[in-house]
Amino acid sequence: MQSSPTAGGHAPPLPGTGVRISLAELIDIRHRVREVPLFSTPHRRSPLVGLHHSKLRGRGVDFDQVRIYQAGDDVRTIDWRVTARTQEPHTKLFHEERERPIYILVEQSPRLFFGSGRAFKSVLAAQAASLVGWAALSHNDRVGGLVFGHGEHHEVKPRRSKQSLLQLLDRLARANAGLNADQNDDPDTFGLALRRAREVLRPGSLAIVVCDERALGDAAEQQLTLLARHVDLLLVPVFDPLDHALPAAGLLRFAQFGARLELDSHDAVIRQAYRLQGEARTARWRRLADRLRLPLMPLDTQRDLVDQLREHLSVQHPGAHR
């Protein structure tokens, strides 16, 4: 189900809104990076700065240099001796902070090939991954990631290189182009992607997980819990309003792989059961984020990506400062 965006005074839609998104459109998203303070800047402090500059765990750090304190620096790294001597705040820099890998796990599976608003969930997930990638590259971080879905995993190792990001976006566009409604969902694909991330990511990395809201099962939750012990995580589940509530639209017919199903959406009991399932999925993500003290940024296909990220970043998240 796909409808056109409503007219009005909203922000212009990101390129590629709709059913598919191309590599050119993913590249073009770089022009909107400045609209979202995903990482700290000299004049603004992002709630994600705690993730981005968190103290590395399970590994020693190599001191690099001391420089004048800038807005967004971790106060725990202030060099008090130099500060007292110069009467101006100075902070210590470490190699790992300057070379922190940002690893984007982004899903492109058949369950995302659906949308009732501005874009399919698969397109919104691709846009979010691209925007994060360009923001990380502009922040001089190493960028890589893993595109997963439909039994396939395409990995790009983090490098401080535009070519590395373009390689990841190319994999993402190809996976998006290959999606169709007749493909089988692989229930293990999310768990496999998370296990791979645990194998390749070193302590202190930042992993950004962009996936279908419905991907969070028992196995995936366990893998996310294990991954959170070694790296910092940002959770970005993607959903469509029709994942949460059925309209009272009469008899609805569904067909897939030769099987057919009919639902009477005028039946209040059916609509309530459907709504409760959606609420349970949302609540499960929130409980996981609260338990692990992780930022949670759900994305809705009905709304502009940049507007939603701005709102999330204006709210302090439980895992934003550690």
Side-chain angles (χ1 to χ4, degrees), residues 85-103:
R85 186 172 67 247
T86 63
Q87 297 299 303
E88 190 171 11
H90 280 70
T91 187
K92 299 176 184 177
L93 291 185
F94 301 90
H95 287 302
E96 287 80 356
E97 287 189 354
R98 298 195 310 150
E99 301 177 357
R100 185 168 202 187
I102 304 246
Y103 195 81

Side-chain angles (χ1 to χ4, degrees), residues 182-212:
D182 294 325
Q183 294 169 325
N184 278 309
D185 268 325
D186 183 353
D188 297 327
T189 187
F190 188 34
L192 290 172
L194 293 172
R195 280 196 290 271
R196 178 58 183 166
R198 285 178 57 207
E199 292 172 358
V200 301
L201 291 181
R202 73 186 192 198
S205 300
L206 171 57
I208 297 163
V209 180
V210 187
C211 65
D212 193 290

Side-chain angles (χ1 to χ4, degrees), residues 53-61 94-97 100 202-205 232:
H53 293 290
S54 65
K55 216 167 191 177
L56 305 186
R57 294 161 292 173
R59 174 177 176 161
V61 293
F94 301 90
H95 287 302
E96 287 80 356
E97 287 189 354
R100 185 168 202 187
R202 73 186 192 198
S205 300
D232 288 314

Side-chain angles (χ1 to χ4, degrees), residues 15-37:
T17 50
V19 179
R20 304 285 184 188
I21 193 162
S22 68
L23 175 60
E25 290 161 340
L26 290 174
I27 293 172
D28 205 35
I29 288 174
R30 72 189 188 277
H31 297 302
R32 298 199 69 180
V33 165
R34 293 184 179 180
E35 299 177 41
V36 191

Side-chain angles (χ1 to χ4, degrees), residues 65-322:
Q65 61 176 301
V66 173
R67 64 156 166 76
I68 294 176
Y69 180 87
Q70 297 178 1
D73 287 343
D74 191 334
V75 295
R76 294 172 297 183
T77 63
I78 290 178
D79 189 319
W80 295 107
R81 291 185 179 180
V82 176
T83 298
R85 186 172 67 247
T86 63
Q87 297 299 303
E88 190 171 11
H90 280 70
T91 187
K92 299 176 184 177
L93 291 185
F94 301 90
H95 287 302
E96 287 80 356
E97 287 189 354
R98 298 195 310 150
E99 301 177 357
R100 185 168 202 187
I102 304 246
Y103 195 81
I104 307 167
L105 293 95
V106 54
E107 182 178 2
Q108 289 292 293
S109 70
R111 64 185 162 202
L112 282 159
F113 193 63
F114 171 80
S116 65
R118 300 170 66 97
F120 274 23
K121 291 188 286 184
S122 51
V123 169
L124 181 59
Q127 292 172 338
S130 176
L131 191 64
V132 168
W134 287 113
L137 193 64
S138 69
H139 200 260
N140 203 33
D141 291 309
R142 290 195 285 150
V143 185
L146 180 67
V147 180
F148 65 93
H150 195 47
E152 297 184 39
H153 293 76
H154 302 289
E155 185 178 352
V156 176
K157 292 182 179 180
R159 296 192 300 271
R160 190 183 295 108
S161 160
K162 184 178 179 181
Q163 292 304 315
S164 180
L165 177 57
L166 290 176
Q167 185 182 355
L168 180 65
L169 297 183
D170 180 63
R171 291 290 191 182
L172 184 51
R174 289 174 183 268
N176 183 268
L179 290 175
N180 65 74
D182 294 325
Q183 294 169 325
N184 278 309
D185 268 325
D186 183 353
D188 297 327
T189 187
F190 188 34
L192 290 172
L194 293 172
R195 280 196 290 271
R196 178 58 183 166
R198 285 178 57 207
E199 292 172 358
V200 301
L201 291 181
R202 73 186 192 198
S205 300
L206 171 57
I208 297 163
V209 180
V210 187
C211 65
D212 193 290
E213 183 187 63
R214 296 175 295 175
L216 187 60
D218 292 342
E221 184 166 347
Q222 181 182 23
Q223 289 298 323
L224 282 167
T225 301
L226 293 171
L227 185 59
R229 294 177 182 176
H230 303 288
V231 305
D232 288 314
L233 287 177
L234 168 61
L235 305 177
V236 187
V238 178
F239 70 93
D240 186 89
L242 286 183
D243 290 334
H244 292 172
L246 281 176
L251 194 64
L252 301 177
R253 295 182 174 88
F254 302 87
Q256 191 173 31
F257 313 123
R260 296 181 181 277
L261 172 68
E262 290 187 349
L263 284 179
D264 182 6
S265 63
H266 284 312
D267 188 326
V269 174
I270 291 177
R271 288 204 314 277
Q272 182 183 24
Y274 190 91
R275 178 178 56 80
L276 290 175
Q277 284 185 340
E279 290 176 355
R281 286 193 297 269
T282 301
R284 184 170 191 174
W285 279 102
R286 172 50 61 194
R287 287 195 304 271
L288 175 66
D290 289 345
R291 177 168 61 84
L292 300 179
R293 298 186 58 78
L294 302 176
L296 176 66
M297 298 186 179
L299 297 178
D300 183 346
T301 62
Q302 291 276 23
R303 302 184 56 215
D304 178 72
L305 169 63
V306 169
D307 288 345
Q308 294 183 76
L309 291 176
R310 280 175 176 161
E311 288 182 11
H312 286 309
L313 290 169
S314 69
V315 177
Q316 200 64 259
H317 295 276
H321 297 284
R322 297 208 253 187

